[in-house]
């Protein structure tokens, strides 16, 4: 839902914010990277299995100002479907 809210505003979600959401902001960098990666892999796998799409739901992009960092965004092809799911909850 956080990704969706940032997407509506035209923003990407930073690594720092993702770490806070999944509860690893106080952990070491390797743990943060592994946890973030595991979460997104699971979400994308479930999305692909459920929808039979080959595209990922969550996309990571290099930060424009700091090429060492990634930001995360929703695949724009599926924003409308996500919106429906969130409103049904």
């Amino acid at each position: 839902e956080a990704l969706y809210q940032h997407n509506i505003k035209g923003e990407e979600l930073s690594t720092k914010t993702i770490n806070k959401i999944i509860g690893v902001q106080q952990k070491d960098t390797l743990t943060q990277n592994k946890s973030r990666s595991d979460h997104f892999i699971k979400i994308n796998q479930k999305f692909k299995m459920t929808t039979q799409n080959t595209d990922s739901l969550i996309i990571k992009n290099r930060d424009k100002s700091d090429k060492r960092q990634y930001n995360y965004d929703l695949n724009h092809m599926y924003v409308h479907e996500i919106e429906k799911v969130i409103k049904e909850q």
Side-chain angles (χ1 to χ4, degrees), residues 70-81:
Y70 284 102
N71 292 319
Y72 299 88
D73 200 4
L74 294 173
N75 187 328
H76 296 286
M77 293 174 29
Y78 306 115
V79 172
H80 184 68
E81 286 82 4

Side-chain angles (χ1 to χ4, degrees), residues 11-28:
E11 303 170 349
E12 295 177 324
L13 206 54
S14 70
T15 299
K16 184 178 178 181
T17 304
I18 296 290
N19 289 341
K20 186 175 180 181
I21 290 170
I22 61 177
V24 294
Q25 72 271 23
Q26 301 298 323
K27 307 276 182 175
D28 63 278

